[in-house]
Amino acid sequence: MNKQMDNVAADAGIRGGVHLSQRHDSAHKHVTGLAEYTDDIPEPAGTLHAYLGLSDRAHAEIVSIDFDAVRAAPGVVGVLTAADVPGSNDISPVGKHDDPLFAEGKVEFHGQQMFAVIAETRDQARRAAKLAKVEYRDLPFVTDVAEAVSADYPYVTDPLKLERGEVEPAMAAAPRRLKGAMRVGGQDHFYLEGHIAFAFPGEDDEVTVYSSTQHPSEVQHMVAHVLGVPSNAVTIIVRRMGGGFGGKETQPNIFASITALAAKKYHRAVKLRPDRDDDMVATGKRHDFLNEYEVGFDEDGRVLAVDGVFAARCGFSADLSGAVTDRALFHADNSYYYPAVRLVSRPMKTNTVSNTAFRGFGGPQGLIIAERIMEEIAYALGKDPLEVRRVNFYGDGERNVTPYHQTVTDCIIERVVDELVESADYQARRQAVLDWNAKGGVIRKGIAISTVKFGISFTATWYNQAGALVHVYSDGSVHLNHGGTEMGQGLFTKVAQVVADVFQIDLDRVKITATTTAKVPNTSATAASSGSDLNGMAAENAAQQIKDRLIDFAAEKYSVDREQVVFQPNAVLIGNRRVSFDDFIKEAYIARVHLSAAGFYKTPDIHWDRAAGKGRPFYYFAYGAACSEVSVDTLTGEYVVDRADVLHDVGRSLNPAVDKGQVEGAFVQGMGWLTTEELWWDDKGRLRTHAPSTYKIPLAGDRPAIFNVKLAEWSVNKEPTIRRSKAVGEPPFMLPISVLEALSMAVASVADYRECPRLDAPATPERVLKAIDRLGGREA
Ligand code: MTE
Ligand code: HPA
Ligand code: MOS
């Protein structure tokens, strides 16, 4: 398909406009090492290096810290503690003042930063940081979410309740009922480029920080607060991250603030890059959840009532846990209509690192319960789980209102699933799996379809805004800047495609430039999958302003109607005079046309009343479905994913190649979350899985052996988003829930599918083996 579209474009249009498959603008630089990351920036003479001093208690008063040995260590220039902070020693992203930059008086998790060592080299700083002698007075602590619930540990932020209909009577009247609980594991971001910041002092109160951040404006504000200077003194720059995945939405504040503080204090450039173990220990991760549910249903498998409680391990501070646990509730229905429903969140405080954003932002941890409920009902009724899913899909008429009272008006899940069932040959393959398992061998198979309906917009409504800056230089080349950040997802490429399309110029005429708070202010995090929706629109708006001025200029100068000024590929047609774009721009410049514009966009028609639990928090939904087949060795618990078929909705894709890459990457990352990536804290509250030696992310070989990923090419966003596309970053992350449920089926086969095996996530081989044992599989 894309080949064909590209050829058409080459003949008739510009190179690289919208809806065409374009390689990521930096793809060749990523693989050859030419892409510049923060650590590649040449260090000026005299650059200093900072390193974190971390607590080794889960909860304790700090009685004293003796830095003598640290200060005496080779290369050490100084030590920074809370006492060195001229402004506020707090980097809470939500204004709760519960996130000290340096622990003061007490530590609340094992690995909390208490101080920073500044030295001539990174190695010197890192070694010296271990030499501090800390005297603690231990306090009781809780690390696990279930323990936190039973110990009545506090919430880190206000819980949310979503309610619609009368749950008790509906539950009581339901012909069938069941209760269940599911633990859903957390996840380390494991970006290839870890956290890093590099600060340069300026004159007066000024400082510039290169930060690996998804949220330059927040880093700017945090650095300003810490230094006690206004935001206009602080400039943040990020050309790209080597992956963020949500891990760089708030966590960069630690590193940027410390380097800025040190740069101002010593008046030298200062860099801070923790090693992988410390990055994993000291920065927040995906929240693990303990979810409990009760569901009432009828003999057809139709849900009548759902009552759910979603408890999350938030860690020691609020960070983004409020919005994360809210989003879990917003997705606890997934594609399914619940006639009566009550969903409650429990954002539990624990003495662990403060958990944060991670692809899906709580959505996956909520959505997985909807899928589990479908499986539970199917096992209870002896049905194909697909049948149960189908009778519960959001539909027309009454059956289209969510637990948060938003009406679903764009539901395409039935068509997506129908097409997937067909292309994946689900029915025949399910029969083959059943036949295979009926033979009773050691290797058992499972196959499952799961669906995704993911809400697009920040639920913090004010975040849904963006700015852009476009300059057209007098030679006709274009400089593009916007508030979004590039973390590998292809945002810069897509937004440049939009600008190229507005001016009808080849994509390589548009220069993509580093995100900086000095060019576009007050930006939102590049998060919630909203990067291209928001920044694409803002950039289009900026380019369109310039284009409008150019049209006015041409119409006046050549005495033609505005309609007679037409932008053609790399040229402009004015009446019947055709000039190249570059010559036209030169003319416009000479005529003193303003060739620069700031663009802006805010998402329309969204609102959310959290106290009432009602509103339209999402502008639209993105949909998808996946069918996964697995083989499980019932003697060892080992398994492989033999095949996965995906059909995913990105509306009218801005760039099918990039979007398909996002779907594939999200699927594999989601598989890691649900299968092998296990976080484990010991009885001292230490994270023991803090390196690739103990924490297993998927390898190339873990990719499904057959992996058919397709975009729903017919889908067009009903809302006027940028060129009718849909957000793609997070929604496909939840597709591999089909892998977990396929594993469940393989396990269930050892007991003739009488029982839903209720596999918790991650379904590590160990956990799969235990489930088989529990069902009596190995005796059989
Ligand atoms: N893709 C890559 N390659 N690297 C990343 O860090 N982050 C994901 C997703 N895809 C990520 C990624 C997350 S968590 C989000 S919210 C979106 O990209 C953010 O970018 P977007 O809004 O431009 O899609
Ligand atoms: N998603 C991702 N990041 C966020 C959100 C959200 O809904 N709200 C605040 N930060
Ligand atoms: Mo993505 S978790 O919203 O950065």
Side-chain angles (χ1 to χ4, degrees), residues 423-575:
S423 69
D425 197 17
Y426 171 74
Q427 298 298 355
R429 284 172 57 215
R430 177 172 152 89
Q431 193 52 54
V433 165
L434 291 169
D435 294 347
W436 169 279
N437 290 342
K439 290 190 288 189
V442 165
I443 305 294
R444 296 300 177 92
K445 290 178 181 284
I447 186 168
I449 285 184
S450 68
T451 71
V452 171
K453 165 178 137 288
F454 195 80
I456 303 300
S457 293
F458 287 97
T459 54
T461 304
W462 69 90
Y463 256 44
N464 297 286
Q465 59 171 307
L469 183 64
V470 173
H471 305 318
V472 180
Y473 292 104
S474 56
D475 66 351
S477 66
V478 175
H479 174 111
L480 166 63
N481 197 268
H482 54 75
T485 58
E486 176 65 44
M487 56 196 101
Q489 84 277 41
L491 172 66
F492 282 15
T493 310
K494 289 189 191 178
V495 179
Q497 284 176 275
V498 169
V499 171
D501 193 66
V502 171
F503 291 122
Q504 284 293 295
I505 54 175
D506 293 338
L507 184 59
D508 60 12
R509 300 291 294 172
V510 181
K511 185 91 182 163
I512 299 171
T513 61
T515 314
T516 169
T517 54
K519 284 185 188 169
V520 177
N522 308 324
T523 55
S524 298
T526 308
S529 306
S530 67
S532 37
D533 281 19
L534 298 175
N535 297 287
M537 283 300 233
E540 181 181 56
N541 173 252
Q544 191 62 48
Q545 291 176 43
I546 298 172
K547 187 173 175 178
D548 285 342
R549 290 181 210 141
L550 288 167
I551 292 173
D552 287 343
F553 153 71
E556 193 189 320
K557 177 163 179 192
Y558 295 99
S559 305
V560 296
D561 291 341
R562 290 185 96 255
E563 292 68 41
Q564 289 175 277
V565 183
V566 181
F567 282 66
Q568 296 186 332
N570 300 303
V572 182
L573 189 64
I574 308 163

Side-chain angles (χ1 to χ4, degrees), residues 176-189:
R176 304 282 295 257
R177 273 190 298 277
L178 63 82
K179 274 187 185 183
M182 182 179 193
R183 270 186 182 264
V184 183
Q187 188 176 23
D188 187 87
H189 301 85

Side-chain angles (χ1 to χ4, degrees), residues 2 153 161 211 301 375 383 412 484 542 597 610 617 622 663 670 731:
N2 302 325
Y153 236 49
K161 179 154 104 176
S211 165
E375 296 282 325
K383 286 181 182 289
I412 54 170
R610 190 174 187 273
V663 177

